[in-house]
């Protein structure tokens, strides 16, 4: 079953989707993996509870922008059952500048990556915060 939400940007440095804690409890699932449908695209995200108004889905602005999702856009959400686990992931920097930053910060990024994103899908962009004001975009590969 899909549910309609309006997107709101929040200041946070991860690639999670945030929904009402009340709404999430009503779903009765421990699996917080969602498929987010926006226009003709489907993205897969981790979903976390937040004390916000029902009908609102919150995303970090830099992450939402990489998915072409604007503040106030309508999205549809459904839970994903039995999401597979990965033991490794290949990522490709979106730009040459992103590649240079990644090479300089690789150890730091690897050590904090799982705090910023837990769900990936092939060819889906992810945002990595390398500092308070700087991000890089990686595209997931195989």
């Amino acid at each position: 079953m899909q549910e309609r939400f309006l997107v709101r940007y929040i200041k946070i440095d991860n690639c999670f989707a945030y929904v009402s804690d009340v709404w999430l409890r009503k779903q009765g699932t421990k699996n917080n993996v969602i498929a987010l449908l926006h226009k003709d695209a489907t993205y897969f995200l981790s979903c976390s509870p937040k004390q916000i108004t029902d009908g609102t889905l919150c995303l970090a602005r830099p992450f939402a922008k990489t998915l072409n999702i604007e503040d106030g856009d309508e999205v549809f959400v459904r839970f994903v059952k039995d999401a597979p686990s990965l033991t490794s992931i290949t990522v490709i920097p979106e730009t040459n500048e992103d590649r240079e930053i990644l090479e300089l910060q690789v150890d730091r990024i690897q050590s904090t990556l799982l705090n910023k994103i837990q769900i990936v899908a092939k060819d889906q962009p992810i945002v990595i915060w390398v500092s308070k004001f700087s991000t890089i975009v990686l595209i997931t590969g195989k």
Side-chain angles (χ1 to χ4, degrees):
M1 182 174 90
Q2 293 185 107
E3 184 138 352
R4 177 187 174 272
F5 289 90
L6 294 179
V7 172
R8 185 171 54 114
Y9 291 163
I10 57 173
K11 291 185 180 190
I12 196 134
D13 63 350
N14 64 45
C15 296
F16 299 155
Y18 291 88
V19 294
S20 161
D21 52 349
V22 174
W23 180 82
L24 198 55
R25 273 195 310 272
K26 285 181 186 174
Q27 303 312 304
T29 181
K30 293 181 182 176
N31 178 11
N32 290 349
V33 178
I34 60 169
L36 184 146
L37 292 83
H38 178 255
K39 298 183 180 174
D40 292 330
T42 301
Y43 305 105
F44 296 91
L45 310 170
S46 294
C47 180
S48 293
K50 190 166 181 65
Q51 290 185 342
I52 54 176
T53 307
D54 276 343
T56 300
L57 181 135
C58 297
L59 296 169
R61 182 181 185 275
F63 179 53
K65 289 285 195 178
T66 66
L67 304 177
N68 297 313
I69 298 174
E70 297 293 328
D71 196 46
D73 278 2
E74 177 182 71
V75 295
F76 293 89
V77 169
R78 66 176 168 77
F79 280 96
V80 176
K81 295 180 181 178
D82 303 321
S85 297
L86 297 175
T87 55
S88 66
I89 183 173
T90 303
V91 293
I92 303 158
E94 187 176 53
T95 66
N96 285 333
E97 184 179 330
D98 288 344
R99 179 179 305 282
E100 290 174 18
I101 294 169
L102 178 63
E103 289 171 357
L104 292 171
Q105 300 281 333
V106 69
D107 291 334
R108 185 174 170 281
I109 290 169
Q110 283 181 338
S111 70
T112 63
L113 188 60
L114 289 178
N115 294 329
K116 307 297 180 189
I117 188 162
Q118 293 179 345
I119 302 298
V120 295
K122 190 173 191 258
D123 300 324
Q124 182 170 307
I126 56 175
V127 175
I128 305 298
W129 282 257
V130 292
S131 73
K132 188 174 181 178
F133 303 105
S134 182
T135 61
I136 61 171
V137 176
L138 305 174
I139 308 299
T140 55
K142 303 179 198 178

